């Protein structure tokens, strides 16, 4: 009895592992997709003029009555780093936010509006691919949960297993393409985007890492599901050969 139940227990463990990985991938992808920390960095901007009695390191005060003329502005841009301030920013698929000088909070803008017109089509393709990625991951999760709770024939379980494997692999491919397209669009926006947005320094944020972690979990779930399907098929073939061999032996004895 023990050896007979071992393959079934192993199969159940593999199904649970695949479902866990796929569920993690779904949670990570939704979190990354809805956040705005795919890229983070700083913008170098000229310090504004101090208003009224305001003082401090984040604004510039001129004592002359002509302090706000164009020459003064030119002076600000041509002098050293002490005339500039670095503002932190973070951007995602949907919007980009940066901190405000001398004020609390952030100022946010739609990232789509910042993207160069020539690259907006690629950004929309990336958004559609991300949405399809989430939908396919959700479908794969549902199929895997049905497979775990489905106690009918093994053949029906194999069909569900095969379909969930295909769906998960397609999800992984879509996720990879979506992440790569967004990376390309962001780099083009850094080079060709509006002057009042272009970052001075930037790097990928935690959302970007989470998106690729989601992809890794998705592909691990797909490999586990395919491995389970392949192993079940091989076990069936092995049992069939043993059964055919036993039948041959059984029906050859009367002839002798």
């Amino acid at each position: 009895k023990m050896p007979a139940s071992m393959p079934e227990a192993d199969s159940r463990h593999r199904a649970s592992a695949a479902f866990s990985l796929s569920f993690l991938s779904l949670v990570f992808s939704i979190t990354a997709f809805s956040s705005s920390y795919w890229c983070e960095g700083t913008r170098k901007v000229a310090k504004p003029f101090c208003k009224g009695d305001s003082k401090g390191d984040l604004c510039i005060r001129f004592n002359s009555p002509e302090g706000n003329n164009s020459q003064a502005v030119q002076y600000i841009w041509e002098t050293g780093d002490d005339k500039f301030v670095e503002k932190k920013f973070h951007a995602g698929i949907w919007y980009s936010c940066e901190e405000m000088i001398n004020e609390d909070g952030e100022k946010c803008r739609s990232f789509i509006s910042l993207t160069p017109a020539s690259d907006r089509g690629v950004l929309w393709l990336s958004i559609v691919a991300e949405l399809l990625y989430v939908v396919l991951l959700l479908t794969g999760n549902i199929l895997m949960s049905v497979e775990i709770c489905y106690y009918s024939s093994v053949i029906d379980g194999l069909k569900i297993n095969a379909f969930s494997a295909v769906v998960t692999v397609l999800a992984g491919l879509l996720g990879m393409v979506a992440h790569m397209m967004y990376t390309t669009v962001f780099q083009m926006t850094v080079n060709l985007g509006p002057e009042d947005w272009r970052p001075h320094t930037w790097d990928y944020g935690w959302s970007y890492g989470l998106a690729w972690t989601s992809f890794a979990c998705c592909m691990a779930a797909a490999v586990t599901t395919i491995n389970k399907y392949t192993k079940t098929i091989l076990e069936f073939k092995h049992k069939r050969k043993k059964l055919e061999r036993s039948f041959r032996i059984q029906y050859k004895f009367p002839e002798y």
Side-chain angles (χ1 to χ4, degrees):
K1 289 184 179 179
M2 212 35 200
S5 62
M6 284 291 284
E8 186 179 347
D10 182 61
S11 178
R12 187 62 59 93
H13 288 319
R14 287 173 186 270
S16 299
F19 174 77
S20 300
L21 287 166
S22 183
F23 183 74
L24 275 177
S25 178
L26 178 64
V27 172
F28 291 163
S29 64
I30 292 174
T31 305
F33 187 58
S34 58
S35 69
S36 61
Y37 285 86
W38 285 61
C39 299
E40 299 177 78
T42 58
R43 286 190 60 240
K44 196 173 183 181
V45 296
K47 293 179 181 178
F49 297 113
C50 294
K51 296 180 181 179
D53 295 330
S54 61
K55 295 180 180 179
D57 297 331
L58 299 179
C59 65
I60 300 174
R61 171 168 289 281
F62 287 94
N63 295 324
S64 64
E66 297 182 352
N68 290 335
N69 64 18
S70 60
Q71 290 181 353
V73 175
Q74 188 69 22
Y75 169 75
I76 291 172
W77 286 99
E78 289 178 356
T79 50
D81 287 341
D82 58 325
K83 302 301 179 184
F84 293 89
V85 63
E86 289 190 344
K87 295 167 62 176
K88 292 181 181 178
F89 86 97
H90 54 91
I93 292 177
W94 298 107
Y95 51 92
S96 172
C97 298
E98 63 183 49
E99 63 180 351
M100 300 178 71
I101 302 176
N102 293 325
E103 292 182 34
D104 294 331
E106 294 180 325
K107 176 186 175 184
C108 295
R109 291 182 281 180
S110 168
F111 184 72
I112 297 169
S113 65
L114 299 171
T115 308
S118 58
D119 295 308
R120 281 179 192 165
V122 181
L123 179 61
W124 279 112
L125 280 175
S126 173
I127 291 172
V128 171
E130 286 285 354
L131 287 171
L132 287 174
Y133 174 53
V134 172
V135 170
L136 287 174
L137 278 176
L138 181 61
T139 305
N141 270 267
I142 293 170
L143 288 170
M144 289 176 189
S145 62
V146 168
E147 183 190 354
I148 292 171
C149 303
Y150 201 66
Y151 295 103
S152 187
S153 68
V154 181
I155 299 299
D156 289 340
L158 270 176
K159 290 177 182 177
I160 296 172
N161 184 246
F163 193 52
S164 62
V166 172
V167 167
T168 310
V169 169
L170 285 176
L173 292 175
L174 270 173
M176 180 182 68
V177 170
H179 303 343
M180 291 175 68
M181 282 194 294
Y182 176 79
T183 304
T184 302
V185 169
F186 185 84
Q187 290 174 350
M188 292 299 293
T189 307
V190 168
N191 295 324
L192 304 174
E195 289 284 350
D196 64 342
W197 177 85
R198 293 183 194 177
H200 178 61
T201 59
W202 66 276
D203 202 351
Y204 296 109
W206 63 265
S207 295
Y208 188 79
L210 201 63
W212 283 108
T213 304
S214 170
F215 165 74
C217 289
C218 175
M219 295 312 294
V223 170
T224 306
T225 307
I226 293 169
N227 183 267
K228 177 181 176 294
Y229 177 83
T230 306
K231 190 172 182 180
T232 307
I233 292 292
L234 291 174
E235 285 174 357
F236 266 117
K237 288 183 177 180
H238 181 66
K239 287 179 181 178
R240 184 180 175 184
K241 285 182 179 179
K242 284 180 69 177
L243 193 63
E244 287 177 352
R245 194 177 298 130
S246 65
F247 276 137
R248 285 173 189 167
I249 293 171
Q250 186 178 359
Y251 286 106
K252 278 181 180 178
F253 279 118
E255 294 177 3
Y256 294 101

